[in-house]
Amino acid sequence: MRIIYKDTFVERLERQLKYIAKKSPKSAKNLKTEIIQRIKEIPENPYLFRKSIYFENEAIRDLIYKGYTVVFRINENQIEVFGFTKFQEKPTD
């Protein structure tokens, strides 16, 4: 399966990383590396992750890591990563 990163995910992740980098650039870099590594593991068993609390769709799942939620959609040949949130009510803008 291919992994597709949607603009909504990339923009929200970058915003969070910039915020973290103000105090600790190393922590921001580590968080990005760790989240991307976790996302790369999704295709192995995408239904292992919980059904999203944000959407009423079995194909949309939440990856939880260090309090952050990465929301992704399972399609036939690809995983679409489109949401990223920590305290916001919606994973996309």
Side-chain angles (χ1 to χ4, degrees):
M1 282 189 169
R2 240 176 44 179
I3 299 175
I4 307 283
Y5 297 96
K6 296 293 190 176
D7 291 341
T8 52
F9 168 77
V10 174
E11 290 167 5
R12 281 190 146 204
L13 176 62
E14 290 300 321
R15 227 179 321 169
Q16 186 65 34
L17 294 173
K18 284 180 186 176
Y19 177 78
I20 293 169
K22 288 178 185 177
K23 288 190 178 182
S24 176
K26 184 178 178 182
S27 292
K29 183 179 179 184
N30 288 342
L31 178 65
K32 181 178 181 179
T33 301
E34 292 165 5
I35 287 177
I36 297 301
Q37 182 58 42
R38 295 288 177 140
I39 291 170
K40 288 180 179 179
E41 295 170 3
I42 292 172
E44 293 173 20
N45 194 354
Y47 287 99
L48 177 68
F49 300 90
R50 79 173 186 196
K51 181 183 165 298
S52 182
I53 62 170
Y54 303 103
F55 300 92
E56 290 296 323
N57 185 332
E58 284 293 322
I60 300 178
R61 301 287 168 150
D62 293 339
L63 179 160
I64 311 297
Y65 183 72
K66 291 189 175 182
Y68 294 97
T69 303
V70 175
V71 184
F72 63 94
R73 179 181 297 113
I74 304 165
N75 289 330
E76 289 181 27
N77 304 0
Q78 65 188 21
I79 302 292
E80 288 181 25
V81 181
F82 66 90
F84 182 78
T85 185
K86 183 149 186 173
F87 299 114
Q88 299 91 344
E89 288 185 26
K90 294 193 293 187
T92 58
D93 291 327

